Amino acid sequence: MAKKKIIVIGGGFGGVFAAKSLEKLGRGTLDVELVNNNNYFVFQPLLPEVAASSINSADAVVPLRQLLSNVQVRQARVMGIDFAKKTVIVMQGARMTPVELKYDELVMALGTGVDLNRIPGMADHALTMKDLTDAHRLRTHVIGCLETADVTTEAEVKQQLLTFIVAGAGFSGVETAAEVRQLVSRALRYYPNIKPDEIRMYLIEYADRILPTFPADLAEYATTQLRSQGIDVLTGVGTKSATSTGVELTDGRKINSSTIVATIGNGPHPLVSMLGLDMQWGRIKTDRFMRVPGQEHVWALGDAALIPLVDNPQEDPVDYATQTAQFAVREGHQLAGNIFAKLNGKELKPFAYESKGSLASLGMSKAVADVYGIKLSGTFAWLLWRGFYLSFLPGIAAKFRVGMNWILNSIMPPNIVQLRMPPPATRYIHFWKGDKVFEPGMLIDGFYTVINGSFKLTIDNPDTGEHFEKVFGPGEHFGERVLVKSELRTGLVEALEDGLLLFIAQKDFTRFATAFPFLDNYFKEYIEKTFGGADKAFAPGSTNQRKQLAKTR
Amino acid sequence: MAKKKIIVIGGGFGGVFAAKSLEKLGRGTLDVELVNNNNYFVFQPLLPEVAASSINSADAVVPLRQLLSNVQVRQARVMGIDFAKKTVIVMQGARMTPVELKYDELVMALGTGVDLNRIPGMADHALTMKDLTDAHRLRTHVIGCLETADVTTEAEVKQQLLTFIVAGAGFSGVETAAEVRQLVSRALRYYPNIKPDEIRMYLIEYADRILPTFPADLAEYATTQLRSQGIDVLTGVGTKSATSTGVELTDGRKINSSTIVATIGNGPHPLVSMLGLDMQWGRIKTDRFMRVPGQEHVWALGDAALIPLVDNPQEDPVDYATQTAQFAVREGHQLAGNIFAKLNGKELKPFAYESKGSLASLGMSKAVADVYGIKLSGTFAWLLWRGFYLSFLPGIAAKFRVGMNWILNSIMPPNIVQLRMPPPATRYIHFWKGDKVFEPGMLIDGFYTVINGSFKLTIDNPDTGEHFEKVFGPGEHFGERVLVKSELRTGLVEALEDGLLLFIAQKDFTRFATAFPFLDNYFKEYIEKTFGGADKAFAPGSTNQRKQLAKTR
Ligand SMILES: Cc1cc2nc3c(=O)[nH]c(=O)nc-3n(C[C@H](O)[C@H](O)[C@H](O)COP(=O)(O)OP(=O)(O)OC[C@H]3O[C@@H](n4cnc5c(N)ncnc54)[C@H](O)[C@@H]3O)c2cc1C
Ligand SMILES: Cc1cc2nc3c(=O)[nH]c(=O)nc-3n(C[C@H](O)[C@H](O)[C@H](O)COP(=O)(O)OP(=O)(O)OC[C@H]3O[C@@H](n4cnc5c(N)ncnc54)[C@H](O)[C@@H]3O)c2cc1C
């Protein structure tokens, strides 16, 4: 008899534990394949510690191939599912070639997506905390802020660099704020020009208290604890908009900051929401056996699925499995059992599980825990937190590595190595009215087009008294001189109203424009027409200006 | 009395040890500042091990601030030096603002640059091994090749993915080849669809033997050792050109490969060569005291400097300090002594040092060593190699971390986590005549413009028999439909002669073109004119084609 092919899409908690159990139960009779866009499993509860550099990036994840022996692991991106033909369409390889995979049973475990579009500017300016790259990027960014703050001479810039905002105070927001705070505190001794009281950190929660899934007294303990570490906990207020220089709150306040972390905005996985399945609260509805109604061979679990815990669930989250790693793992085991039962004509079991409790780390060797109904807080809760996650982490190698990281981190100085990632070539940048886009003396690093709003360029030549002004609206552009010469900015550009620019980095813009004769001509003519030639274009800023503006300490 | 300001530019072996000694000698009388573009010191001898994932990326480097207490560390890029005004111009911060730093004495320790432009295609397609990002990128790339090779069904693609080329067999080339070979061998057990004999690895050296700085018999031992590990050592032959699909050798052979590592092409540091200093072999000439002639307050050391070891040096490298870490460290100490002597009216000492010897690791717990004239090879040499570098690594924390990495790596499975970096938005891609740019069925991932050569697009519709052909030359472009629709490629593009394309990734191209009304119009008109409208443009490829082409295993 041909082996039945089970495809699991998504290699997070749900997918991995489902695949593992399936392989064990079905050894010899099932052919299990897991598809994931990375070749590793991310232990999400440790991401805040990666961001705080308590743990090496590579140590908070486990290679899927090592975790899942006897399961075929495919590093590929799922692009679509054809339920009628029972195939999954994936893109794989460096050249992204499409491949169709046939299944007999399909397990969907793609998790959720992040949707920050409801808050203007958030998607372009906030860092998220969903996967390893996010955590790594946050760490790099925070250390970069300290590096620059240590050497800048402008008070305003320094304050912005030393203000950190975390939006959302569920447990990932709380843990991220606490961990980043701790990294900054520990690192400060290496930044002699930053005083501890120059650091600002805000944790912003729209609900009227933090940690909504915890009992109120633990949340209160946590709030006190976070405040004593110098974190400003703001509840009952949300973020209204974000720009490159800060956030605006729903109460009208503006906080200048170079760092916005969003742990809010959990939304449906973009692919999942396109499949035409019956969804609620952004999750795929399943029956109590984790089958997707109407799709005979399809199952769903984890954060992506809405699994009822009772027979007649009400419109109330408590009647459904919660979106936690704990639940996903249990679901994985049981879903495997159900698939096996189905294929062998046995009876399926409805999903039932009671949470063992919740834990949240607060940094500084403190935590809150609500375990088997017992409420704990402080250092003991924190040790419990560590022990629990260590035991939970799959694979001995991973446990050992994380354990070693913890030990090293407690006896060694904090790791402030800044492993930078190349910045994106194009990015949208939001501005509030009055914000400066650039000032004379800055390095010309790219080109801007106006998407909306209006921006004013002013060039003053102190030597000759010449003055030049121009306003740019949607579809217009500035900074094209980068094509002709890489020099310092001679003009000042300010937003006349709230607006949005597209920035294109110098290297990429130059490559594009020069590869393309008609574009190259367009810009040459434009410079001629607007500034009266390339030479003229650079005249207004005197060479002395550069020297005035270069700030020495 | 005001403290004298000493600025050290470059935080490698030379700069760090000079700064450290200066701070010690001059405590209280000197104000020492070190400028480096990263906030960490790179222990270059360990880079091949990072590439092989024996060592975590962050553990092969040491934060400069932790290494250099009492030295002001500035993370900034040196952009220029004004010797007359005794200032260094640096760019710092996220916005790259220029700052001028005044010095009393300047120490130049910027190392060397890499110049691959002499070999067509090399600069665009080869990975280098100079800094941490390089090593990290190589590791990610190699694991990516294994991931794709494991799931691809095309024999040709698979072979290309499993062929690895290292150009240059000095010690960094030899160590890189050996370490990458070891990573691949150890990782293979996790890739069930790759057989060990499918792996090809070439080490290519233009000279007639590898390791030119070692005695001939040790080089011979190393060659045998590398060959026994399955590395094809080719001597007396160089790389003539490189493309995205492989290299062409000087003897006319072509080797298809997705991985080319270049450890050749050491050239002058780009900034250093612009300063108008007296240079030879790409290095700054100094006197025996490491002073730069004609510049009263400027000193140079390390790879960037050409320091004579004798009073009347001949046109012969043996009369000068060699470009190794060992020498740079010694130079650093002595240069500090000389600056201190100068400022205190004492006598300067000429630089003199005799190499303690050379060591090169060959992987598989083997190495060659030539220490104090004693030649060693095999496991004992390898242990010596490890011990030596551990002792050499600055800082207890770093020693401990690297030591732990080595222990973990020997008892744990290899770390095959692929931490991907975002691919660049624009890149130049070289093609040989006959190479395919893309084929029907591939995901449309970007836009191409022709820089030189000519490329032919062919679209065949098997349903209707329709046939479309077009040849593109310099300045022309294809793939613009990505603007209208993200779909699968329906055509085949091949190079009619050797040529060069500029690729722009879909997201960035779309952002750029749509932000810009005149560009958007240009492309819409172009599609209309060339294909008779957007709809027509997609017609030629039948929907069935996609299914035929999607390869299932
Ligand atoms: C910062 C943070 C801290 C947390 N802390 C805790 C905690 O302390 N305790 C707790 O119980 N829970 C915690 N959680 C929640 C917990 O991590 C999730 O509930 C759990 O990961 C859900 O598992 P899942 O398998 O459903 O989804 P995920 O773990 O999100 O896995 C989804 C997988 O699908 C892959 N994928 C997505 N799209 C595609 C595609 N198109 N193609 C291929 N692969 C794809 C993803 O790469 C991922 O591997 C935390 C979450 C976060 C973000
Ligand atoms: C892969 C590899 C393996 C090696 N193995 C060995 C070995 O086993 N034994 C041995 O003795 N030697 C070895 N070497 C050689 C050794 O590493 C060099 O000789 C040594 O690093 C030279 O030191 P340096 O200070 O002159 O330059 P570097 O160490 O290259 O330092 C230059 C510094 O300047 C910084 N910099 C450059 N430009 C700027 C700028 N514009 N602004 C600010 N900062 C800038 C760089 O970031 C860098 O930190 C190896 C080299 C490589 C690449």
Side-chain angles (χ1 to χ4, degrees):
Chain A
M1 199 189 74
K3 288 185 187 178
K4 290 280 181 192
K5 176 88 182 187
I6 322 279
I7 294 185
V8 179
I9 53 175
F13 280 99
V16 161
F17 285 88
K20 227 178 152 73
S21 293
L22 276 165
E23 191 277 324
K24 257 193 216 140
L25 286 172
R27 200 159 291 172
T29 66
L30 297 180
D31 179 2
V32 184
E33 174 160 345
L34 182 136
V35 182
N36 196 56
N37 51 358
N38 289 309
N39 82 344
Y40 51 80
F41 159 80
V42 181
F43 197 82
Q44 289 185 355
L46 288 179
L47 290 181
E49 300 218 22
V50 171
S53 113
S54 316
I55 288 182
N56 268 319
S57 298
D59 293 340
V61 302
V62 187
L64 284 168
R65 294 176 184 278
Q66 284 168 7
L67 210 51
L68 297 168
S69 35
N70 300 316
V71 170
Q72 163 79 41
V73 173
R74 185 183 293 262
Q75 180 181 30
R77 176 176 296 275
V78 178
M79 303 295 279
I81 302 170
D82 189 332
F83 293 117
K85 297 213 327 247
K86 299 211 280 182
T87 52
V88 176
I89 298 137
V90 306
M91 292 285 171
Q92 68 185 33
R95 301 292 303 270
M96 279 305 205
T97 328
V99 172
E100 295 188 3
L101 309 174
K102 270 204 93 54
Y103 62 81
D104 293 305
E105 302 289 329
L106 175 68
V107 178
M108 296 180 62
L110 294 175
T112 53
V114 176
D115 180 11
L116 296 174
N117 284 315
R118 271 161 294 175
I119 303 168
M122 208 56 145
D124 294 314
H125 295 291
L127 298 154
T128 49
M129 273 296 273
K130 282 291 282 185
D131 64 28
L132 192 63
T133 316
D134 294 337
H136 186 84
R137 187 174 287 132
L138 175 56
R139 170 181 193 279
T140 301
H141 179 85
V142 169
I143 295 171
C145 288
L146 299 180
E147 289 292 339
T148 309
D150 193 64
V151 292
T152 191
T153 49
E154 293 169 80
E156 206 183 313
V157 171
K158 189 175 187 187
Q159 200 207 314
Q160 186 177 311
L161 287 164
L162 296 178
T163 303
F164 304 91
I165 296 175
V166 176
F171 58 171
S172 84
V174 165
E175 292 189 351
T176 302
E179 289 288 340
V180 169
R181 189 68 187 84
Q182 197 172 341
L183 168 65
V184 172
S185 302
R186 290 187 66 197
L188 275 196
R189 55 190 265 227
Y190 298 107
Y191 296 89
N193 303 316
I194 305 176
K195 278 173 245 78
D197 64 4
E198 291 180 286
I199 307 292
R200 302 260 175 292
M201 178 129 197
Y202 296 92
L203 177 62
I204 296 168
E205 170 59 53
Y206 197 69
D208 56 9
R209 70 170 174 96
I210 68 168
L211 292 174
T213 58
F214 280 74
D217 50 348
L218 285 184
E220 211 163 289
Y221 171 86
T223 305
T224 315
Q225 190 57 43
L226 294 171
R227 289 201 171 125
S228 78
Q229 291 171 31
I231 299 173
D232 229 322
V233 181
L234 308 181
T235 53
V237 64
T239 42
K240 201 172 133 197
S241 71
T243 69
S244 58
T245 52
V247 299
E248 188 182 355
L249 302 186
T250 48
D251 63 9
R253 242 187 308 177
K254 280 186 182 174
I255 305 176
N256 283 331
S257 166
S258 304
T259 310
I260 309 164
V261 186
T263 63
I264 52 178
N266 244 9
H269 188 287
L271 175 73
V272 168
S273 53
M274 276 169 37
L275 295 172
L277 299 173
D278 200 7
M279 313 257 299
Q280 186 169 1
W281 303 320
R283 297 154 74 183
I284 306 166
K285 280 187 169 182
T286 73
D287 62 17
R288 291 204 59 196
F289 309 102
M290 294 175 270
R291 293 179 299 199
V292 177
Q295 303 293 350
E296 213 186 321
H297 303 282
V298 183
W299 311 71
L301 80 167
D303 284 4
L306 189 67
I307 305 167
L309 295 170
V310 294
D311 272 333
N312 288 304
Q314 309 297 305
E315 286 271 322
D316 183 346
V318 299
D319 281 355
Y320 297 92
T322 57
Q323 288 172 300
T324 61
Q326 245 184 85
F327 269 84
V329 168
R330 269 313 316 157
E331 290 159 18
H333 287 303
Q334 191 167 333
L335 191 151
N338 278 351
I339 290 184
F340 193 70
K342 173 186 168 181
L343 295 177
N344 291 284
K346 302 250 168 66
E347 208 178 323
L348 311 194
K349 281 203 206 117
F351 179 71
Y353 178 66
E354 247 186 76
S355 166
K356 303 268 174 295
S358 322
L359 290 152
S361 151
L362 304 172
M364 308 301 286
S365 315
K366 296 275 188 299
V368 282
D370 173 22
V371 191
Y372 294 112
I374 302 168
K375 293 186 249 174
L376 298 163
S377 58
T379 308
F380 181 70
W382 179 78
L383 285 172
L384 196 72
W385 180 89
R386 286 211 155 169
F388 179 69
Y389 283 116
L390 214 51
S391 73
F392 210 43
L393 198 63
I396 298 174
K399 282 193 219 306
F400 195 81
R401 283 182 195 275
V402 168
M404 276 312 305
N405 270 288
W406 278 340
I407 294 171
L408 281 183
N409 190 50
S410 62
I411 56 175
M412 297 278 173
N415 191 345
I416 54 168
V417 166
Q418 192 201 15
L419 302 178
R420 280 183 280 188
M421 286 189 279
T426 60
R427 52 182 194 270
Y428 290 112
I429 313 182
H430 298 251
F431 292 89
W432 287 318
K433 180 180 172 170
D435 277 349
K436 288 174 189 155
V437 178
F438 55 69
E439 289 174 81
M442 286 186 174
L443 186 72
I444 295 192
D445 56 349
F447 164 87
Y448 295 85
T449 47
V450 182
I451 307 292
N452 58 54
S454 58
F455 294 83
K456 189 171 94 178
L457 166 70
T458 321
I459 310 179
D460 276 303
N461 189 335
D463 300 343
T464 63
E466 271 178 273
H467 178 86
F468 177 90
E469 261 187 42
K470 188 170 159 62
V471 173
F472 300 92
E476 296 183 307
H477 48 85
F478 51 89
E480 53 287 320
R481 305 177 200 181
V482 82
L483 281 178
V484 200
K485 216 171 181 177
S486 174
E487 252 288 357
L488 300 184
R489 303 275 185 204
T490 49
L492 163 74
V493 172
E494 283 173 301
L496 295 178
E497 54 186 305
D498 291 4
L500 176 63
L501 294 176
L502 175 68
F503 169 82
I504 305 167
Q506 163 162 31
K507 190 181 82 179
D508 302 279
F509 175 66
T510 310
R511 285 178 165 190
F512 188 42
T514 53
F516 232 167
F518 99 88
L519 209 58
D520 204 24
N521 284 339
Y522 166 85
F523 283 113
K524 290 222 177 86
E525 276 169 31
Y526 177 88
I527 291 174
E528 185 68 40
K529 200 178 67 197
T530 316
F531 302 97
D535 278 351
K536 250 322 213 6
F538 308 107
S542 74
T543 43
N544 259 323
Q545 224 170 2
R546 163 176 164 174
K547 282 154 214 159
Q548 284 166 29
L549 282 152
K551 287 164 197 82
T552 320
R553 298 178 43 227
Chain B
M1 198 189 72
K3 288 185 188 180
K4 291 280 181 191
K5 176 88 181 185
I6 321 278
I7 293 186
V8 179
I9 53 175
F13 280 99
V16 161
F17 285 88
K20 227 178 152 75
S21 293
L22 277 165
E23 191 277 323
K24 257 193 219 141
L25 287 172
R27 200 159 290 172
T29 66
L30 298 179
D31 180 2
V32 184
E33 174 161 344
L34 181 135
V35 182
N36 196 55
N37 51 359
N38 289 309
N39 82 343
Y40 50 81
F41 159 79
V42 180
F43 197 82
Q44 289 186 357
L46 286 179
L47 291 181
E49 302 217 21
V50 171
S53 112
S54 316
I55 288 182
N56 270 318
S57 298
D59 292 341
V61 302
V62 186
L64 284 168
R65 293 173 185 280
Q66 284 168 7
L67 209 51
L68 297 168
S69 35
N70 300 317
V71 169
Q72 162 80 41
V73 173
R74 184 182 295 262
Q75 181 181 29
R77 177 176 296 276
V78 178
M79 304 295 278
I81 303 170
D82 189 333
F83 294 116
K85 296 212 327 253
K86 297 212 279 181
T87 52
V88 177
I89 298 138
V90 306
M91 290 287 170
Q92 68 186 31
R95 301 291 302 272
M96 280 305 204
T97 330
V99 172
E100 294 187 5
L101 310 173
K102 270 204 90 58
Y103 61 81
D104 292 305
E105 302 288 329
L106 175 68
V107 179
M108 297 182 63
L110 294 174
T112 54
V114 176
D115 179 10
L116 295 174
N117 284 315
R118 270 160 294 174
I119 303 168
M122 209 56 146
D124 294 315
H125 296 290
L127 298 153
T128 49
M129 274 297 273
K130 281 292 281 185
D131 63 28
L132 192 64
T133 317
D134 294 336
H136 187 83
R137 187 174 286 133
L138 176 56
R139 171 180 192 278
T140 301
H141 179 85
V142 168
I143 294 171
C145 288
L146 298 180
E147 289 292 339
T148 309
D150 193 63
V151 292
T152 191
T153 49
E154 292 169 81
E156 205 183 316
V157 171
K158 190 173 184 187
Q159 200 207 315
Q160 187 177 313
L161 287 164
L162 296 178
T163 303
F164 304 91
I165 296 175
V166 177
F171 59 172
S172 85
V174 164
E175 292 189 350
T176 302
E179 289 288 339
V180 169
R181 189 66 187 86
Q182 198 172 340
L183 168 64
V184 171
S185 301
R186 289 186 66 196
L188 274 196
R189 54 190 265 227
Y190 298 107
Y191 296 88
N193 303 316
I194 305 176
K195 278 173 245 74
D197 64 5
E198 291 180 285
I199 307 293
R200 302 259 176 293
M201 180 130 196
Y202 297 91
L203 178 62
I204 296 169
E205 171 58 53
Y206 196 69
D208 56 10
R209 69 169 175 97
I210 67 170
L211 293 174
T213 58
F214 279 74
D217 51 347
L218 285 184
E220 210 162 291
Y221 172 86
T223 305
T224 313
Q225 190 57 41
L226 294 171
R227 289 200 171 128
S228 77
Q229 290 171 33
I231 299 174
D232 230 322
V233 181
L234 308 181
T235 52
V237 64
T239 44
K240 200 173 134 198
S241 71
T243 70
S244 58
T245 53
V247 298
E248 188 183 355
L249 302 186
T250 47
D251 63 10
R253 241 186 307 176
K254 280 186 183 174
I255 305 176
N256 282 331
S257 165
S258 304
T259 311
I260 309 164
V261 186
T263 62
I264 51 178
N266 244 11
H269 189 286
L271 174 73
V272 168
S273 53
M274 275 168 39
L275 294 173
L277 298 174
D278 200 5
M279 314 257 299
Q280 186 170 359
W281 303 319
R283 297 153 75 182
I284 305 166
K285 280 187 170 182
T286 73
D287 63 15
R288 290 204 61 193
F289 308 103
M290 294 174 271
R291 294 180 297 199
V292 177
Q295 303 294 348
E296 212 187 322
H297 303 282
V298 183
W299 311 71
L301 81 167
D303 284 4
L306 187 67
I307 305 167
L309 296 171
V310 293
D311 271 333
N312 288 303
Q314 308 299 306
E315 284 272 323
D316 182 346
V318 299
D319 280 356
Y320 297 93
T322 57
Q323 287 172 302
T324 61
Q326 243 182 86
F327 269 84
V329 169
R330 266 314 315 153
E331 290 158 20
H333 287 302
Q334 190 165 336
L335 190 150
N338 278 352
I339 291 185
F340 192 70
K342 172 186 169 182
L343 296 176
N344 291 284
K346 302 251 171 65
E347 208 178 322
L348 310 194
K349 279 203 207 119
F351 179 71
Y353 178 66
E354 246 186 76
S355 167
K356 304 267 175 292
S358 322
L359 289 153
S361 150
L362 304 171
M364 309 299 287
S365 314
K366 296 276 188 301
V368 282
D370 173 20
V371 192
Y372 295 111
I374 302 167
K375 294 187 249 174
L376 296 165
S377 59
T379 308
F380 181 71
W382 179 78
L383 286 172
L384 196 71
W385 180 89
R386 287 214 155 167
F388 180 68
Y389 283 116
L390 213 51
S391 72
F392 210 44
L393 199 62
I396 298 173
K399 282 192 220 302
F400 196 81
R401 283 183 195 274
V402 168
M404 277 309 306
N405 269 288
W406 278 340
I407 293 170
L408 281 182
N409 190 50
S410 61
I411 57 175
M412 297 278 173
N415 192 343
I416 55 168
V417 166
Q418 193 203 12
L419 302 177
R420 280 183 282 189
M421 287 189 278
T426 59
R427 53 181 193 273
Y428 290 112
I429 314 182
H430 297 252
F431 292 89
W432 286 319
K433 180 178 174 177
D435 277 348
K436 289 173 187 158
V437 178
F438 54 70
E439 289 174 80
M442 285 184 173
L443 186 73
I444 295 191
D445 57 348
F447 163 88
Y448 295 86
T449 46
V450 182
I451 305 294
N452 58 53
S454 59
F455 293 83
K456 189 170 95 179
L457 165 69
T458 320
I459 310 180
D460 276 302
N461 188 335
D463 298 343
T464 63
E466 269 177 275
H467 178 85
F468 176 91
E469 262 187 43
K470 189 170 158 61
V471 174
F472 300 92
E476 296 184 307
H477 49 83
F478 51 91
E480 53 285 322
R481 307 176 199 182
V482 81
L483 282 178
V484 199
K485 215 172 181 176
S486 173
E487 253 286 358
L488 300 183
R489 302 276 183 202
T490 50
L492 163 74
V493 173
E494 283 172 301
L496 294 179
E497 53 186 304
D498 291 4
L500 175 64
L501 295 176
L502 175 69
F503 170 83
I504 305 167
Q506 164 161 32
K507 190 181 83 180
D508 302 279
F509 175 65
T510 310
R511 285 178 164 190
F512 188 41
T514 54
F516 230 167
F518 100 88
L519 209 56
D520 205 21
N521 284 339
Y522 166 84
F523 284 114
K524 289 219 178 88
E525 276 169 32
Y526 177 87
I527 291 174
E528 185 69 38
K529 201 178 65 196
T530 314
F531 302 97
D535 280 349
K536 249 328 216 356
F538 309 108
S542 74
T543 43
N544 259 323
Q545 224 170 4
R546 164 173 163 177
K547 284 153 214 160
Q548 285 166 31
L549 281 153
K551 288 164 197 82
T552 321
R553 299 179 41 225

